[in-house]
Amino acid sequence: MLPESLGGAEFLLPQGVVRLAPGADAAAVRAHLATRGEVTTVDDYLAAAGSRQQDTGNGIMTVIMGPAGLYALIAVINAVVIAAADRRREFAVARVTGLTRGQVVRSAVLESGAVTGIGLVLGGLAAALTLIGISSATGRVTGQTVLVVPWGLIAVVVAGAFAVTGVTSLWTALSATRPNPVSLTGAAE
């Protein structure tokens, strides 16, 4: 019998405990057991419970992370815009030394992509360690380790992060390289 604090199944029985007497009607026994609750294997129960919990968790995370994600999006855009705006003189010097405007813009976009990639790897590592810890703790309590990785959500976050930083970096680098580079090389910061 599982503690009530865990919710879900009340009893876990070893496989083979419920056996039919010779000549017993399997359909009648199944119907009788169904009146007492759902009868399933541990693996099937955990898969179904994991799916239900994943759906519930996704709904809760959407409500919680929606505003936090919007705030993070604004913060990322703000950081990229400020960083590129502060680099106008640096971009102008690069152009005066022989780089074209397109090369300067591409290097700024590639740089923001590298920073985004590093941030995603570090954030993914932190999230993975957290999921492993939670899964391990659940396994100690229930005897069965379950780990569900939301690959679709991860793909959307990664693509969105690269798209936001790429577009913002492109836009601010184009704006920062618009003036004549000679006019900016002597400007005080």
Side-chain angles (χ1 to χ4, degrees):
M1 184 160 188
L2 293 177
E4 288 185 29
S5 63
L6 290 176
E10 292 181 32
F11 295 97
L12 293 177
L13 302 175
Q15 194 169 14
V17 167
V18 179
R19 295 187 183 154
L20 298 180
D25 182 14
V29 171
R30 228 181 266 117
H32 177 71
L33 289 175
T35 64
R36 304 281 187 224
E38 182 181 356
V39 178
T40 183
T41 65
V42 172
D43 290 337
D44 290 344
Y45 171 78
L46 289 175
S51 177
R52 285 190 305 270
Q53 288 176 355
Q54 184 69 29
D55 291 343
T56 301
N58 285 345
I60 291 169
M61 290 304 286
T62 300
V63 170
I64 292 172
M65 295 304 292
L70 181 61
Y71 176 76
L73 175 69
I74 292 168
V76 166
I77 291 171
N78 187 41
V80 172
V81 168
I82 289 172
D86 287 345
R87 297 177 67 192
R88 294 177 82 163
R89 185 168 186 262
E90 179 184 333
F91 292 159
V93 169
R95 288 181 62 203
V96 167
T97 59
L99 293 178
T100 66
R101 181 179 183 208
Q103 289 172 324
V104 172
V105 169
R106 277 192 299 278
S107 68
V109 171
L110 286 173
E111 182 182 280
S112 74
V115 171
T116 301
I118 291 167
L120 288 170
V121 167
L122 293 175
L125 181 63
L129 292 175
T130 301
L131 283 175
I132 290 169
I134 290 170
S135 177
S136 174
T138 303
R140 282 192 298 273
V141 171
T142 65
Q144 187 81 350
T145 302
V146 178
L147 179 62
V148 179
V149 179
W151 292 113
L153 180 60
I154 291 170
V156 168
V157 167
V158 168
F162 278 112
V164 166
T165 57
V167 168
T168 304
S169 181
L170 174 68
W171 177 72
T172 53
L174 284 171
S175 296
T177 58
R178 187 170 294 129
N180 182 353
V182 175
S183 66
L184 295 174
T185 56
E189 290 189 21

